[in-house]
Amino acid sequence: MATAKAEARRPPAQEFEEIQRKAAGFKARGKDILAARLELEHQGIRPQEKSNSGPDPRDLAASMLDGSTVPDDRPPTPGEELFRLIVEQRAIEIAVDALAEQENQARRIAAAEAIQETAAAWREIVRRRAMAVLELRKANQEAAAFREHLRRIGGNNPNLICDVTSGPLFGPPVVGDGAYTFLESAVAAGIISKKEISNAA
């Protein structure tokens, strides 16, 4: 009972890793069984369910007659060995399927725990990205003003290096585009305020 409680207290990530290790062991055993099956089947052996788990009746009768010790269980015939391998292979398939369900559940729990543990760090990353979007918008406005100043002096558009004027990064803000939606999501999550967006405009 104590062991079961200890296992229940294991972190989800550790539980997930343990399930993966167990599944890997089953799959490795499954490969060994398949190789043994193929070898027996290649020899023309047919599966045969073991009819008697004890010693062979003739051996038992002989021991009764001469007073010798009861012989050990006889080794399985090739057909019985093949049958045993088939049963074990099927059992492994069932176990692996069950572990797959456990793995999916453990993976979801571990992922949820990891997200919860790193929520503050992720919010900080989101804020930095939001501030970078606002800074880019500000730089775009300054670039537009810079360009316009030179255009008025020269009477035509200046040939500035790396002067990108369109697209989602360097074009003017567009309501509903990716950057707009991202900032709105950050506001809804309480990571950045509407005032910060307005001040950066």
Side-chain angles (χ1 to χ4, degrees), residues 20-30 92:
Q20 285 189 316
R21 281 194 294 269
K22 189 179 292 185
F26 285 158
K27 290 174 183 177
R29 175 58 184 158
I92 287 176

Side-chain angles (χ1 to χ4, degrees), residues 47-169:
Q48 175 188 357
E49 188 172 0
K50 195 169 184 178
S51 58
N52 183 8
S53 60
D56 183 84
R58 291 184 179 82
D59 295 335
L60 182 57
S63 67
M64 293 169 63
L65 290 171
D66 62 18
S68 60
T69 58
V70 177
D72 295 332
D73 290 353
R74 62 177 177 80
T77 66
E80 291 169 344
E81 176 63 15
L82 179 56
F83 182 85
R84 186 192 67 78
L85 290 172
I86 292 173
V87 170
E88 185 179 358
Q89 188 176 41
R90 179 58 187 145
I92 287 176
E93 290 171 356
I94 294 171
V96 168
D97 287 344
L99 284 176
E101 285 294 323
Q102 293 178 25
E103 180 180 336
N104 288 336
Q105 182 178 0
R107 187 191 296 273
R108 288 192 295 269
I109 294 173
E113 183 181 73
I115 289 173
Q116 185 176 7
E117 290 175 350
T118 59
W122 177 247
R123 289 177 68 87
E124 177 59 27
I125 291 173
V126 172
R127 178 170 177 79
R128 285 169 52 203
R129 296 173 80 183
M131 298 307 293
V133 170
L134 296 180
E135 176 59 26
L136 178 59
R137 284 183 172 181
K138 184 177 179 181
N140 285 345
Q141 291 175 351
E142 293 176 2
F146 192 98
R147 186 187 307 110
E148 178 61 18
H149 174 71
L150 294 180
R151 188 190 67 77
R152 287 179 181 174
I153 294 174
N156 56 9
N157 289 327
N159 186 20
L160 298 169
I161 61 170
C162 302
D163 187 19
V164 182
T165 60
S166 62
L169 293 180

Side-chain angles (χ1 to χ4, degrees), residues 133 137 168 174-185:
V133 170
R137 284 183 172 181
V174 177
V175 174
D177 68 1
Y180 178 91
T181 303
F182 170 70
L183 290 175
E184 287 295 304
S185 298

